[in-house]
């Protein structure tokens, strides 16, 4: 394994992504990418939600890789599609409440994209999609949920964290749990092994 392959940088401030890599025993550093996500979205209007997740992940990986060409950089992002449209993070708890009311009893899809870059070039990218079916929860439960979770929900694209109380919003999830948390972990680990960043 050459020196250029020894460092992995996670270009994300997501605590969930950090925890996934730490729990999997992957050594890495964190360096948040200064990417204007709104600008990337505006320039990617021709893409569907899954492809947009990859585009955002690539932008984050490249932003950090161009500053540190000796390291492997992992970028990741997540998008949510519902009712034929793209859903962004709620700006307020009231907006989160309205969104969750609209999604209850219905199905939406989460897309987690990832990209690996080195020397300012994306060398791998991928995406995984999970189908999420919310139960028809009561207004009383929704209000209690929002009170308990608070402003932390504004950092989540779906206004929920499945690893917390948000699990009670759902009746079924079809797909990989890690993808729900924001990273297609199995393909990422496979690519890190293939690249020599992790032992095979």
């Amino acid at each position: 394994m050459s020196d250029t392959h020894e460092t992995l940088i996670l270009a994300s401030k997501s605590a969930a992504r950090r925890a996934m890599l730490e729990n999997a025993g992957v050594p890495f550093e964190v360096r948040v990418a200064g990417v204007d996500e709104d600008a990337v979205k505006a320039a990617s209007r021709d893409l569907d939600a899954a492809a947009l997740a990859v585009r955002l992940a690539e932008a984050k990986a490249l932003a950090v890789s161009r500053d540190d060409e000796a390291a492997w950089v992992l970028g990741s992002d997540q998008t949510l599609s519902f009712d034929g449209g793209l859903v962004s993070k709620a700006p307020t708890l009231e907006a989160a409440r309205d969104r969750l009311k609209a999604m209850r009893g219905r199905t939406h899809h989460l897309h987690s994209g990832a990209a690996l870059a080195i020397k300012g070039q994306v060398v791998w990218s991928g995406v995984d999609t999970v189908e999420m079916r919310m139960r028809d929860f009561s207004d009383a439960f929704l209000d209690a949920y929002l009170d308990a979770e608070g402003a932390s929900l504004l950092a989540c694209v779906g206004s929920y964290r499945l690893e917390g109380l948000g699990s009670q919003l759902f009746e079924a999830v079809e797909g990989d749990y890690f993808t729900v948390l924001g990273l297609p972990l199995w393909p990422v680990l496979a690519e890190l092994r293939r690249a020599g960043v992790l032992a095979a």
Side-chain angles (χ1 to χ4, degrees), residues 10-79:
L10 173 64
S12 173
K13 61 184 177 183
S14 163
R17 293 188 184 107
R18 289 199 305 269
M20 278 186 271
L21 292 177
E22 287 169 356
N23 291 339
V26 178
F28 66 97
E29 303 170 10
V30 174
R31 201 169 304 166
V32 178
V35 171
D36 185 341
E37 294 187 22
D38 290 336
V40 175
K41 291 176 182 177
S44 308
R45 289 189 177 134
D46 57 323
L47 299 181
D48 62 20
L52 176 61
V54 174
R55 179 72 56 84
L56 287 163
E58 290 176 343
K60 291 179 178 181
L62 285 172
V64 174
S65 182
R66 287 173 181 140
D67 288 338
D68 189 343
E69 294 197 346
W72 287 88
V73 181
L74 174 62
S76 188
D77 211 313
Q78 190 173 59
T79 58

Side-chain angles (χ1 to χ4, degrees), residues 116-187:
L116 203 59
I118 191 167
K119 297 180 180 177
Q121 297 290 326
V122 172
V123 295
W124 173 86
S125 61
V127 65
D128 191 43
T129 296
V130 177
E131 184 175 284
M132 314 283 291
R133 190 162 70 250
M134 283 192 170
R135 67 183 183 86
D136 191 13
F137 46 80
S138 66
D139 284 352
F141 176 84
L142 177 56
D143 289 338
Y145 165 73
L146 291 169
D147 286 343
E149 295 288 271
S152 66
L153 297 179
L154 304 184
C156 308
V157 69
S159 301
Y160 57 79
R161 293 179 301 117
L162 204 67
E163 66 271 34
L165 188 59
S167 60
Q168 291 197 44
L169 296 171
F170 293 89
E171 63 181 28
V173 174
E174 294 185 21
D176 189 83
Y177 179 67
F178 294 118
T179 295
V180 180
L181 299 186
L183 186 69
L185 185 62
W186 306 123

